[in-house]
Amino acid sequence: MVQSITPFQEQIKTPLIKQKITVLQINLGRKCNLACHHCHVEASPKRTEELSSEICQQLIKLIEQFPQIETVDITGGAPEMNYGFKPIVEAARKLNKEVIVRSNLTIFFEKQFTDLPNYFAKHHLRVVASMPCYLEDNVNQQRGSGVYQKSIQAIQKLNKLGYGKEPNLVLYLVYNPQVPKSEKFSLAPNQIQLEQDYKKYLLEHFGIVFNHLFTIINLPIGRTKNYLKNQHLYYPYLKFLETNYNFNTLSGLMCLNQLSIDYLGQVYDCDFNQMENIPATTVNGEILTVSKLLELNNLDIIKEIKTASYCYGCTAGSGSSCGGALV
């Protein structure tokens, strides 16, 4: 089964060429108040890895030095729990960059973080919030007991502040399927139709509104990968993703115009390569870091994007990215 999977680079025939960098995605660390079953970062309350003061200052300098950066996308762990969150937000917003925070919502109810909804609104942060289903049982199975109700309450807090209603207070929810328990694999449903289902249910039951839904495919990385391997489903799942490969998704891949930075200041083509430790390199094979980008005074020195078999997860069916379906 291992050898029957076509290498992704062979599937696409020509290399993926990096375009002009406009998005800087920063993973501030692995600390999180949750330990979700599907988490590709394998974050949890027990993790301690986070950004250092030195790397934080380098990242702020990077944001200030390169006007071509349009969006600063902040993730984790729970990004709000990790060092550097507010300094990076404020540096980026001062320069009128779009700032995305990928929040698990339940962080609002931790003692030190009850100010977050107001902070988000004050700085006009775009909130991308994990909500893997609009039904309670499905969410709690993936993310832990009680998470659904806290998520609902958190969205209601954001709605009261104008999120999902005012044009500069944007709220996205994120759907991902249950981790497969058998070879009855499935891709994410149609994003437009599922968004309508979410909006109808959440409005009728909780008075909740939001802007858009992103559907994301589970990539076989992190806890999902470990689970699939334990269930002897890893290679069958990869084969399923390959079988559903869609050439039309290639032009929309998030790795084309994005740099992914980890808490150590190392550079990757995407968040998934970061988790699988496949660093971005120069044409000479030198591993890239934030300090190297600053030294070279150039964000656009990566020629070819590094690919792997899990890239089929981003290119299967309607495709998958940090911004949802691609086609």
Side-chain angles (χ1 to χ4, degrees):
M1 181 63 75
V2 178
Q3 294 179 353
S4 72
I5 296 167
T6 308
F8 188 77
Q9 191 60 55
E10 186 179 317
Q11 178 77 255
I12 62 175
K13 296 182 174 61
T14 57
L16 286 176
I17 303 301
K18 206 77 167 176
Q19 299 171 3
K20 181 181 178 181
I21 299 301
T22 58
V23 179
L24 195 66
Q25 186 175 73
I26 306 168
N27 188 306
L28 296 180
R30 307 295 173 86
K31 291 166 63 176
C32 189
N33 59 314
L34 300 177
C36 301
H37 295 313
H38 63 283
C39 182
H40 71 281
V41 180
E42 300 184 74
S44 81
K46 296 180 181 179
R47 302 296 292 264
T48 58
E49 306 96 316
E50 66 178 336
L51 200 69
S52 67
S53 175
E54 179 187 4
I55 301 301
C56 181
Q57 290 307 309
Q58 289 179 6
L59 285 164
I60 289 171
K61 189 174 180 182
L62 198 75
I63 292 164
E64 293 172 343
Q65 191 164 314
F66 294 98
Q68 73 190 74
I69 298 171
E70 298 171 3
T71 301
V72 177
D73 186 343
I74 307 177
T75 184
E80 307 96 326
M81 288 183 72
N82 290 273
Y83 179 83
F85 174 68
K86 288 185 176 180
I88 290 172
V89 163
E90 288 161 31
R93 290 301 296 141
K94 187 177 179 181
L95 294 168
N96 206 31
K97 310 288 188 187
E98 177 185 88
V99 176
I100 295 170
V101 55
R102 297 187 180 270
S103 182
N104 67 32
L105 298 174
T106 65
I107 191 69
F108 295 177
F109 302 98
E110 301 291 333
K111 281 186 179 179
Q112 294 176 301
F113 303 101
T114 55
D115 69 318
L116 283 174
N118 287 308
Y119 183 83
F120 288 1
K122 177 184 176 182
H123 293 284
H124 295 169
L125 304 190
R126 290 193 170 226
V127 180
V128 178
S130 178
M131 191 72 170
C133 187
Y134 54 80
L135 299 175
E136 184 168 8
D137 287 348
N138 289 350
V139 172
N140 288 344
Q141 282 178 31
Q142 286 196 50
R143 303 183 63 209
S145 178
V147 168
Y148 181 82
Q149 284 301 327
K150 283 186 176 179
S151 298
I152 292 296
Q153 291 169 34
I155 297 170
Q156 289 171 333
K157 285 177 181 284
L158 291 172
N159 280 172
K160 284 181 181 178
L161 293 167
Y163 270 94
K165 302 172 184 178
E166 297 180 17
N168 58 355
L169 296 176
V170 178
L171 173 62
Y172 301 116
L173 300 185
V174 179
Y175 162 90
N176 62 276
Q178 295 267 0
V179 177
K181 295 179 170 59
S182 70
E183 290 194 26
K184 293 180 180 179
F185 304 125
S186 62
L187 299 172
N190 178 275
Q191 183 169 280
I192 295 172
Q193 180 59 56
L194 189 60
E195 178 182 300
Q196 292 172 356
D197 294 342
Y198 264 70
K199 285 187 170 181
K200 184 174 185 291
Y201 186 90
L202 293 176
L203 181 62
E204 286 180 358
H205 288 79
F206 306 106
I208 279 174
V209 295
F210 64 95
N211 294 88
H212 291 296
L213 179 75
F214 295 157
T215 56
I216 294 180
I217 296 171
N218 288 321
L219 267 69
I221 293 174
R223 291 198 184 111
T224 298
K225 177 181 179 180
N226 295 335
Y227 173 83
L228 290 172
K229 284 193 168 184
N230 288 337
Q231 300 297 314
H232 307 289
L233 293 170
Y234 176 69
Y235 290 108
Y237 185 60
L238 275 178
K239 190 64 183 176
F240 167 77
L241 294 175
E242 181 198 340
T243 302
N244 285 278
Y245 168 73
N246 181 356
F247 170 82
N248 295 316
T249 61
L250 292 181
S251 63
L253 291 174
M254 62 185 181
C255 56
L256 296 177
N257 67 333
Q258 176 194 89
L259 293 180
S260 173
I261 315 291
D262 71 6
Y263 62 91
L264 297 171
Q266 297 176 126
V267 180
Y268 305 81
D269 288 310
C270 70
D271 188 48
F272 304 122
N273 279 4
Q274 182 182 144
M275 295 312 133
E276 289 290 299
N277 196 28
I278 302 177
T281 58
T282 65
V283 289
N284 298 322
E286 182 180 0
I287 292 176
L288 282 176
T289 62
V290 175
S291 61
K292 189 67 180 176
L293 293 173
L294 290 168
E295 177 192 328
L296 296 172
N297 192 30
N298 188 356
L299 289 185
D300 300 306
I301 54 180
I302 301 169
K303 184 181 178 184
E304 294 183 10
I305 294 166
K306 303 286 181 66
T307 62
S309 57
Y310 49 78
C311 296
Y312 283 117
C314 291
T315 55
S318 296
S320 182
S321 74
C322 288
L326 300 175
V327 295

